[in-house]
Amino acid sequence: MAVVEAIDLHRTYRTSTGTFRRKWKDVEAVRGVSFEIGEGELFGLLGPNGAGKTTTIKMLITLLIPTSGTARVLGHDVVKDAREVRKSIGYVFGGERGVYERLSGYDNLRYFAELYGVPPKRIRPRIDELLELVGLRGREQERAEGYSRGMKQRLHIARGLLHDPPVVFLDEPTIGLDPIGARELRATVASLAQAGKTILLTTHYMFEADALCDRIAVINRGQIVAEGTPTDLKQRVADGTVVEVEVFGVPEGTVKRVRGLSGVLSVSVEEREQAQVIIVQTRADVELTQGILGTLDGANVGRISRREPTLEDAYVALVAEQ
Amino acid sequence: MRILRLLWVGWKFHVKSLTLSAFFILTSILQPIIFASVAYFMFRTGAREGTLLYVALGAGMMGIWSSTLFGSGGAIQWQRWQGTLEYCIAVPPPFLLVILPLTLATATIGLYSLTATLVWGWLFFDVPLEVADPLAFAVALPVAVVGLGLLGLILASTFVMYRNANALSNLLEYPVWLVTGLLVSLSLMPGWVGPISWVLAPTWGVNALREAAIAGNPWPEIGMCLALGAVYLVIGHFALQHFERLARERATLSLT
Ligand SMILES: Nc1ncnc2c1ncn2[C@@H]1O[C@H](COP(=O)(O)OP(=O)(O)OP(=O)(O)O)[C@@H](O)[C@H]1O
Ligand SMILES: [Mg+2]
C-alpha cells in the first residue's frame, strides 16, 4: 500500500493588490499533481523556484486545503482525517524561521513533545537522543535567538522527529547549511531512511537528490514533468553528451544561436568567478564543439570539456523542455 | 489528565516566553504607573465613586485587559511572523488546546500589571491595601484571569484567520475598559452599556474583586464570571475550528 498518495491535487491562491480598489488575481500554484510514495521509500520532489513543491507539501501535511483533488497519508484523508494524519507525520521547512526565539532549544522541544503527546516519562530521554542525533548536545539550554542558522535548522529536525513519526516531510532541509553541516544532515536523512521511515524531500541540490532519493519527481509550473529513479532520469539524456565551454563575457544572443544548432537538447549558462560556463546538452551522435565556438563571435574562450550527463543535466533538460 | 498536562505545560511555556520579551517588560513597568496615576487623580476630582482601593482595582484590571488583548491577538500575529504558527496548527490536539494556554498566559501576565498598579498606588498615593475578605479575593483573582483569558480566546480566533487583525485589537481596547466599568463606574454610562457589560466575563471578574476587597458578597459574581467563561470556551472552540479551516483554505497561516 502506498504510504503517501496524491491524486490530482490542485491548489490556487487568491492574492490581491491595491488597498482601495482591490484587484484579485488567482495563482495556480499546483495543477494536477499525482504521485505515490511506498513504505520506506525516500522520494524527492525537484523543481525550480515557484514550481509548487512547498504548496504540494503543505497540502499533504494538512496546512493547506487542496482546491481540488485528494491526498492520503497512511490511508487517512488529509482534509477529513487531518488529526490522524498529523499524528503520524513529522515535517520540517528549511530556513531558520519557526522557532520560539526567546526560549531555549530544550524548551522548544519540550513544548512540542507535549503537543505531540510523547509520554511524560519518554520526553527527557527522547529529547536527549535527538539532541545527540542533530548535534546540539550541550547547547540546548541557550536561548534559540542566539543559535546560528544551521543550529536552528537542526533544532527543527529534532522537533520534527520527537514523536518518531513513520512519515517525514523535509522541505529543503539543507538550505543555508555549511558544507559539513549539509553533509551531516544528509547522513541523518539517510539513516532515517535506513530506519524504515517514508520520506518526502525537496531540494535544489541535484547531487543531494541523486545521493539520497530512491525515486524522484520533477515538478515545473505546478505539474509533474518526469518521474523515476535518478538513473531513469539520467537515462533520458544519457544518449547525449554535455559540452561545457568557459567563456569570458558571453556575447548577446549566444544562447539563442546555440539553441538553433541542430542536435542541441538544451543550453544553460552558469556564472563562475571570472567567467561564464555555457553548458550544452547535445545528442551523442553529433560533434558540436566547433559549432558552439562558431556562435561566440570570437569571444575569449577558456576551458572546453565534454562529459557524461549528471542528474542536474537531466533536470535542466526536463525543466527547459517546458 | 492529558489535557490538563498540555494546558499546564503550554501555559508555563508561554508565560516564560512572554516575560522574556523586552516590549512586554517595558509596557508592564510603564503602564501600571500611568493607570495608577489616572485612577488616583480621577478619584481625587470625584469623577469616580467608591473607595480608593476600589478605583485602583479597576485600573489594575484595565492593565490585565490590555495585556490580554494585545497578548492574545498580538501573540498569534507574532507567531505568524515568527513562523511558529504553522508548526502549532498541524499538531494532533485540537487547536483550542494550543491557543488556550497562550491566552491564559497573557491574562496571567496581566495579573502582574494589576499587582504593580496596586503597589504603585500604595507607594505614591496611599491606596490602602487591606482586603476585607482575603479568601474570596484569592479565589476571585484567578477567576478574573480565567475570564479574561477566555475572552482573549475568542479574540485570538479571529487573528488566526486575518493577517491584519491588529486594527481590531486597537479598536477594542478603550471600549472594553468603558463597557466593563473598569475605567468609569457603570452607573455613569448610558443605559445600553449595561447589557453589553453583563455578557463580558471581565465585568463580573472585576466586580468580584471589588466585592471581596470591600467586604461584600463576591460569590455570585465569581459564579457569573465562570459561567460566562464556560460559554466563551464553547464559542471559542467552534470559532477556532472554523477559523483554522478558513485559514487553511485561504492560506493565511504564513506570511509567504
Ligand atoms: N500564500 C501564498 N499566496 C499567494 N501565492 C502563493 C502563496 N504561496 C505560494 N504562492 C505562489 O505559488 C507558487 C508556488 O509556490 P511554492 O512555494 O509552492 O513553490 P516552490 O516550488 O516551493 O518554490 P521554491 O523552490 O522557491 O521554494 C508560486 O508562484 C508562489 O508565488
Ligand atoms: Mg518551497
Side-chain angles (χ1 to χ4, degrees):
Chain A
M1 189 194 78
V3 169
V4 178
E5 300 163 86
I7 306 152
D8 198 26
L9 283 177
H10 287 255
R11 173 71 212 201
T12 306
Y13 292 109
R14 284 223 103 179
T15 53
S16 67
T17 47
T19 318
F20 295 108
R21 295 182 57 203
R22 286 214 167 175
K23 284 204 190 103
W24 294 93
K25 204 176 122 219
D26 283 348
V27 180
E28 286 184 73
V30 171
R31 306 182 295 157
V33 162
S34 304
F35 57 81
E36 286 192 355
I37 310 178
E39 189 176 348
E41 206 175 9
L42 206 167
F43 185 81
L45 199 53
L46 307 183
N49 293 130
K53 303 179 294 295
T54 301
T55 306
T56 304
I57 289 191
K58 284 187 179 173
M59 288 190 278
L60 294 173
I61 62 179
T62 76
L63 279 178
L64 281 178
I65 293 180
T67 311
S68 71
T70 48
R72 282 189 284 271
V73 175
L74 291 167
H76 305 295
D77 187 283
V78 297
V79 179
K80 288 192 215 92
D81 311 323
R83 189 149 181 221
E84 288 304 314
V85 172
R86 291 169 180 182
K87 277 186 197 163
S88 47
I89 61 168
Y91 63 98
V92 175
F93 298 120
E96 50 194 323
R97 294 179 69 247
V99 294
Y100 289 90
E101 301 265 338
R102 292 195 289 264
L103 296 172
S104 69
Y106 184 85
D107 283 341
N108 270 276
L109 293 176
R110 176 75 187 73
Y111 177 56
F112 278 96
E114 201 64 41
L115 286 176
Y116 277 101
V118 178
K121 284 213 182 68
R122 281 288 298 146
I123 290 179
R124 209 103 225 167
R126 181 66 186 153
I127 291 178
D128 284 342
E129 267 166 51
L130 288 167
L131 288 169
E132 192 68 52
L133 179 78
V134 300
L136 281 178
R137 201 53 174 288
R139 308 290 303 268
E140 71 268 23
Q141 296 299 346
E142 295 169 30
R143 282 207 207 177
E145 62 196 354
Y147 286 5
S148 73
R149 202 169 164 171
M151 288 169 72
K152 285 183 193 167
Q153 213 143 323
R154 285 180 279 159
L155 182 61
H156 271 314
I157 306 269
R159 188 194 44 73
L161 297 174
L162 278 166
H163 53 308
D164 201 15
V167 190
V168 181
F169 295 86
L170 303 168
D171 193 3
E172 299 187 46
T174 54
I175 189 173
L177 291 188
D178 66 52
I180 295 171
R183 180 177 291 186
E184 283 171 0
L185 193 84
R186 281 194 290 278
T188 308
V189 174
S191 72
L192 290 176
Q194 206 89 69
K197 298 206 180 299
T198 305
I199 302 172
L200 193 160
L201 171 87
T202 78
T203 176
H204 287 293
Y205 307 117
M206 294 305 138
F207 64 94
E208 185 168 297
D210 200 358
L212 287 174
C213 298
D214 300 317
R215 218 150 46 81
I216 287 171
V218 178
I219 180 171
N220 193 16
R221 294 195 211 135
Q223 287 175 321
I224 290 188
V225 295
E227 198 184 322
T229 64
T231 322
D232 286 343
L233 294 183
K234 277 183 262 185
Q235 237 137 43
R236 289 187 158 218
V237 288
D239 56 334
T241 309
V242 178
V243 181
E244 293 187 341
V245 183
E246 198 180 23
V247 184
F248 301 91
V250 176
E252 217 164 297
T254 306
V255 171
K256 218 171 144 199
R257 285 197 295 275
V258 175
R259 209 167 263 152
L261 298 171
S262 85
V264 168
L265 298 173
S266 77
V267 186
S268 58
V269 180
E270 231 171 62
E271 291 290 331
R272 297 280 156 86
E273 280 118 63
Q274 312 277 323
Q276 292 95 338
V277 177
I278 304 182
I279 303 167
V280 186
Q281 291 183 31
T282 70
R283 290 212 311 269
D285 54 344
V286 292
E287 167 47 59
L288 279 177
T289 314
Q290 286 312 315
I292 294 166
L293 291 178
T295 64
L296 287 175
D297 266 352
N300 215 342
V301 173
R303 252 172 12 134
I304 301 171
S305 58
R306 290 166 63 98
R307 59 173 173 79
E308 290 294 295
T310 60
L311 183 62
E312 181 155 328
D313 298 315
Y315 169 84
V316 170
L318 282 165
V319 172
E321 267 170 28
Q322 296 299 300
Chain B
M1 256 328 276
R2 273 239 36 166
I3 292 180
L4 286 182
R5 243 188 90 87
L6 182 55
L7 290 179
W8 170 243
V9 171
W11 177 81
K12 273 199 304 190
F13 181 80
H14 289 300
V15 166
K16 198 164 170 187
S17 173
L18 287 165
T19 47
L20 291 172
S21 123
F23 175 75
F24 161 74
I25 292 168
L26 200 69
T27 50
S28 37
I29 290 173
L30 288 180
Q31 238 180 16
I33 301 181
I34 299 170
F35 288 166
S37 318
V38 168
Y40 175 75
F41 288 116
M42 287 180 77
F43 178 73
R44 265 297 130 86
T45 52
R48 302 186 56 161
E49 56 190 34
T51 66
L52 194 50
L53 176 59
Y54 181 97
V55 171
L57 274 174
M61 285 298 282
M62 286 174 16
I64 300 195
W65 171 242
S66 298
S67 138
T68 307
L69 195 53
F70 289 106
S72 354
I76 289 198
Q77 200 64 9
W78 168 245
Q79 296 220 40
R80 188 193 318 278
W81 192 82
Q82 196 177 228
T84 44
L85 191 59
E86 286 197 312
Y87 288 108
C88 286
I89 282 206
V91 293
F95 198 36
L96 174 75
L97 296 182
V98 178
I99 296 302
L100 186 57
L102 177 62
T103 62
L104 287 178
T106 54
T108 311
I109 295 295
L111 198 61
Y112 163 83
S113 176
L114 171 69
T115 317
T117 305
L118 291 179
V119 169
W120 282 118
W122 175 66
L123 276 179
F124 297 115
F125 305 116
D126 295 322
V127 175
L129 284 191
E130 291 103 51
V131 170
D133 187 346
L135 173 71
F137 195 83
V139 175
L141 206 55
V143 167
V145 168
V146 168
L148 278 160
L150 289 168
L151 184 54
L153 183 73
I154 293 181
L155 289 170
S157 65
T158 60
F159 277 82
V160 172
M161 173 61 214
Y162 298 105
R163 279 185 270 201
N164 302 319
N166 277 353
L168 181 73
S169 83
N170 292 336
L171 212 67
L172 281 177
E173 187 173 20
Y174 302 97
V176 171
W177 286 357
L178 291 174
V179 165
T180 53
L182 294 177
L183 190 59
V184 186
S185 168
L186 277 179
S187 55
L188 299 178
M189 302 294 283
W192 53 265
V193 168
I196 297 180
S197 74
W198 298 333
V199 297
L200 294 174
T203 312
W204 302 96
V206 71
N207 283 344
L209 282 174
R210 283 169 172 169
E211 289 290 319
I214 61 170
N217 178 12
W219 300 105
E221 274 87 358
I222 290 177
M224 267 312 283
C225 186
L226 286 176
L228 279 171
V231 174
Y232 292 177
L233 193 62
V234 175
I235 298 176
H237 175 64
F238 287 109
L240 278 173
Q241 246 178 15
H242 175 70
F243 283 123
E244 184 214 309
R245 178 152 181 128
L246 227 61
R248 283 158 60 208
E249 268 167 25
R250 301 200 190 154
T252 55
L253 294 174
S254 71
L255 294 176
T256 51

